[in-house]
Amino acid sequence: MRVVILGGPGAGKGTQAELLCSNLSLPLLAVGDILREAIAEDTDLGKRAVSYVERGELVPDATMIEFFRRRLLLWDVFNGWVLEGYPRTAFQAEELDFLLEELAQELDWAVWLKVPIEVLLSRSIKRDRSDDHPEILQRRLDLFHERTIPLLEYYEYRNKLLTVDGDQSPEQVQQDILTLIEAKGQYS
């Protein structure tokens, strides 16, 4: 199974992605962690991404797709994965679909963690990560809102969107995700 987890900064994408990986025995591709690690290790990806991440901007699409092309060829993701933190735009979603098609793979579900803005802000401030300074956070929220509707429409049009109330306990959110996947016949 191949699943992307969508939601705003502080929606619980990381938590839900980790729980889903554990419940479905799938590897996690957490883009934020991957980018932070690449920056810390000063890799090629890190060097190209650092200035964007520091400003709260999205890393350019071409850089991200090139990275995913390499990553999705590795053996550990052959039978599926959970992707968290990407795609963030309808264009990225389309590029990811093209890449998957090229690799003879297909996305099963896009899980949307729907959380009110005030809750996203409150959760993000409590995380105290280096990229959660108020001005960077506000820029990320603005970008997120500007690009979210087309992204959700993209997946909804393809009958891949599963919407879950993300303003609940992490355990309840996970149960709702698993229930939706099971109801769609993609989980045994």
Side-chain angles (χ1 to χ4, degrees):
M1 182 179 305
R2 293 168 186 87
V3 179
V4 296
I5 304 288
L6 307 171
K13 295 183 301 291
T15 300
Q16 293 308 316
E18 286 175 17
L19 289 170
L20 199 57
C21 286
S22 176
N23 285 318
L24 301 179
S25 300
L26 293 171
L28 173 62
L29 303 177
V31 173
D33 293 344
I34 291 166
L35 287 174
R36 281 186 283 277
E37 187 177 300
I39 290 167
E41 293 175 2
D42 204 29
T43 65
D44 181 46
L45 174 65
K47 287 175 186 167
R48 287 191 277 165
V50 67
S51 64
Y52 298 96
V53 172
E54 286 175 348
R55 293 191 314 265
E57 302 284 340
L58 297 179
V59 175
D61 295 333
T63 301
M64 293 307 299
I65 285 296
E66 179 188 329
F67 166 75
F68 283 117
R69 178 181 311 284
R70 292 182 200 161
R71 183 62 184 94
L72 294 177
L73 288 171
L74 299 180
W75 67 270
D76 65 322
V77 294
F78 183 72
N79 289 320
W81 37 260
V82 174
L83 177 55
E84 182 264 310
Y86 190 92
R88 298 214 173 158
T89 67
F91 178 79
Q92 289 176 349
E94 190 172 37
E95 287 296 305
L96 180 61
D97 279 349
F98 288 147
L99 175 61
L100 292 174
E101 187 178 319
E102 185 182 310
L103 300 175
Q105 299 180 28
E106 183 181 352
L107 182 71
D108 293 295
W109 301 113
V111 176
W112 164 240
L113 303 176
K114 189 175 182 179
V115 178
I117 281 293
E118 58 276 7
V119 176
L120 293 177
L121 274 169
S122 151
R123 287 181 183 176
S124 293
I125 289 166
K126 288 178 190 168
R127 292 192 304 197
D128 196 30
R129 281 198 331 219
S130 63
D131 56 343
D132 280 340
H133 293 302
E135 61 280 354
I136 293 174
L137 184 58
Q138 189 58 56
R139 177 71 181 134
R140 285 172 51 214
L141 279 168
D142 291 346
L143 277 173
F144 166 71
H145 270 284
E146 184 181 303
R147 295 170 173 166
T148 299
I149 301 305
L151 178 60
L152 298 180
E153 288 172 348
Y154 177 86
Y155 283 122
E156 189 157 33
Y157 179 75
R158 285 157 182 74
N159 296 314
K160 303 265 185 196
L161 187 66
L162 303 178
T163 301
V164 175
D165 177 2
D167 191 16
Q168 308 176 80
S169 73
E171 298 76 20
Q172 186 58 56
V173 173
Q174 183 67 191
Q175 189 54 58
D176 289 356
I177 293 170
L178 292 171
T179 299
L180 277 172
I181 290 173
E182 187 174 354
K184 301 286 186 176
Q186 294 288 322
Y187 173 64
S188 53

